[in-house]
């Protein structure tokens, strides 16, 4: 003898799943918005009318990563006057740039608006030391 269930199927409440999904999306959005914006890798802007600072970056070298953190710390103060560029040595363009200028890993090169190379640093930079170099090399007062 077969039994049948005459009870009406239970309605599943979708709201808890929708709320959970919405909260997950909100957390992801907030996390992404808090990430630092990336640096330009467009080396063609050197000599195009704006001072430029180029980091020859190798993610395997702590000094290079620390200098990138320092660049990020001062970028908002100098963004209108200086283009901050990263030449990743692990890409063909970055390697070609470093080789053509004779730069080693973690080099931080300062270029005038006309493209003249002003100075190259190989020492680890902090936000404050980089700010001092930018003010001195480009005659700023930030």
């Amino acid at each position: 003898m077969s039994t049948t269930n005459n009870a009406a199927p239970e309605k599943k409440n979708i709201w808890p799943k929708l709320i959970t999904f919405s909260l997950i999306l909100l957390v992801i959005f907030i996390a992404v918005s808090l990430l630092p914006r990336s640096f330009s890798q467009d080396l063609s802007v050197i000599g195009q009318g704006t001072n430029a600072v180029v980091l020859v970056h190798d993610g395997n070298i702590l000094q290079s990563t620390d200098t990138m953190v320092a660049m990020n710390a001062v970028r908002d103060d100098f963004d209108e006057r200086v283009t901050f560029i990263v030449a990743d040595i692990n890409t063909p363009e970055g390697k070609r740039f470093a080789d053509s200028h004779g730069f080693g890993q973690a080099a931080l090169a300062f270029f005038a608006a006309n493209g003249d190379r002003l100075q190259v640093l190989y020492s680890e930079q902090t936000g404050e030391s980089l700010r001092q170099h930018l003010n001195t090399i480009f005659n700023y007062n930030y």
Side-chain angles (χ1 to χ4, degrees):
M1 171 170 178
S2 73
T3 61
T4 60
N5 188 355
N6 290 337
E10 255 184 65
K11 269 190 170 178
K12 292 191 178 188
N13 192 352
I14 192 167
W15 286 107
K17 289 182 181 180
L18 273 175
I19 291 172
T20 302
F21 181 71
S22 298
L23 285 175
I24 290 171
L25 285 178
L26 180 64
V27 168
I28 291 171
F29 175 77
I30 290 171
V32 168
S33 68
L34 292 176
L35 291 173
R37 53 185 211 261
S38 63
F39 289 98
S40 172
Q41 293 187 354
D42 184 6
L43 296 163
S44 69
V45 301
I46 297 171
Q48 301 299 316
T50 303
N51 293 328
V53 176
V54 181
L55 171 63
V56 178
H57 178 65
D58 184 344
N60 298 318
I61 297 178
L62 185 59
Q63 175 183 336
S64 181
T65 303
D66 289 345
T67 300
M68 187 178 286
V69 169
M71 286 172 57
N72 199 45
V74 301
R75 176 171 32 180
D76 288 342
D77 293 337
F78 293 92
D79 212 18
E80 292 181 15
R81 296 177 142 187
V82 177
T83 300
F84 292 94
I85 305 168
V86 171
D88 188 341
I89 200 137
N90 296 311
T91 64
E93 299 83 17
K95 177 100 173 95
R96 189 169 30 257
F97 175 80
D99 290 347
S100 69
H101 288 280
F103 296 148
Q105 298 167 332
L108 188 63
F110 296 79
F111 291 90
N114 65 2
D116 290 343
R117 184 170 62 188
L118 301 175
Q119 189 168 353
V120 180
L121 304 174
Y122 283 96
S123 59
E124 184 174 330
Q125 298 300 310
T126 64
E128 190 53 40
S129 67
L130 181 55
R131 180 181 308 280
Q132 289 174 353
H133 287 298
L134 288 164
N135 283 328
T136 302
I137 294 168
F138 295 129
N139 295 317
Y140 295 147
N141 190 21
Y142 287 103

